[in-house]
């Protein structure tokens, strides 16, 4: 004859241990979860390195980059005022599309530090992020600040 009473007590004990284990794991998880204390202050700006990476990346799955495109315009125009003006318009349009509050984009080598696009007052700039890239003979610097 089987002892039905004993198997009931064993099942009851296993169920109680299982429930205690679940409660223990829930309490342990609630205690060990770190509180999220993030600063969103810096989320409004993009760093100069991020934007320069975008500018030096491929355009529309072609082999040409944005920096390559403007360098070719300058080179084909022999750095004339017309080619510089065209590059300035293209650069300003491109940088404005990234919704950067304050920036200065310049060519340092061939054009001797000529500012191609700018937004904001650089003289009042604080905490400036700077990135530089070279394409052929042209060396570009992008400064971004708050």
């Amino acid at each position: 004859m089987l002892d039905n009473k004993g198997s009931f007590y064993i099942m009851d004990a296993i169920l109680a241990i299982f429930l205690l284990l679940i409660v223990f794991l829930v309490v342990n998880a609630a205690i060990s979860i770190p509180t999220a204390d993030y600063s969103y202050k810096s989320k409004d700006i993009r760093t100069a390195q991020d934007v320069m990476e975008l500018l030096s990346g491929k355009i529309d799955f072609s082999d040409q980059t944005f920096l390559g495109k403007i360098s070719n315009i300058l080179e084909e125009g022999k750095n004339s005022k017309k080619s510089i003006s065209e590059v300035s318009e293209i650069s300003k349009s491109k940088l404005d599309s990234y919704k950067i509050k304050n920036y200065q984009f310049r060519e340092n080598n061939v054009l001797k530090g000529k500012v191609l696009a700018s937004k904001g007052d650089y003289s009042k700039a604080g905490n400036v992020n700077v990135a530089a890239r070279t394409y052929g003979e042209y060396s570009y610097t992008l400064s971004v600040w708050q």
Side-chain angles (χ1 to χ4, degrees):
M1 193 164 183
L2 292 173
D3 185 15
N4 289 335
K5 234 180 190 181
S7 63
F8 175 73
Y9 288 127
I10 291 173
M11 291 296 286
D12 190 37
I14 290 174
L15 184 61
I17 291 172
F18 184 69
L19 288 174
L20 283 173
L21 182 63
I22 289 175
V23 169
F24 175 73
L25 291 175
V26 168
V27 169
N28 189 25
I31 291 172
S32 65
I33 293 176
T35 57
D37 187 24
Y38 302 111
S39 171
Y40 291 101
K41 185 176 181 181
S42 64
K43 297 287 186 187
D44 294 337
I45 67 165
R46 294 177 185 243
T47 64
Q49 290 291 341
D50 294 338
V51 176
M52 261 313 202
E53 285 297 319
L54 293 172
L55 295 178
S56 59
K58 304 290 183 189
I59 301 174
D60 299 328
F61 303 108
S62 67
D63 287 338
Q64 190 175 25
T65 65
F66 178 78
L67 296 180
K69 179 181 176 183
I70 63 173
S71 296
N72 289 338
I73 292 171
L74 289 171
E75 190 174 342
E76 290 170 4
K78 296 184 169 82
N79 304 319
S80 66
K81 287 184 178 182
K82 181 180 177 187
S83 65
I84 292 172
S85 175
E86 182 180 351
V87 166
S88 292
E89 288 177 26
I90 294 169
S91 299
K92 182 154 181 58
S93 172
K94 184 73 164 180
L95 291 169
D96 285 343
S97 73
Y98 295 134
K99 298 186 179 10
I100 307 169
K101 292 180 183 176
N102 300 303
Y103 62 85
Q104 187 178 70
F105 183 63
R106 64 176 55 220
E107 198 288 322
N108 298 312
N109 191 26
V110 177
L111 302 178
K112 309 289 187 229
K114 174 78 174 161
V115 175
L116 299 174
S118 181
K119 184 176 179 183
D121 188 4
Y122 189 75
S123 64
K124 297 179 182 176
N127 195 16
V128 179
N129 292 307
V130 179
R133 296 289 186 280
T134 302
Y135 189 90
E137 294 181 15
Y138 297 94
S139 177
Y140 300 99
T141 301
L142 175 66
S143 302
V144 178
W145 67 92
Q146 290 183 354

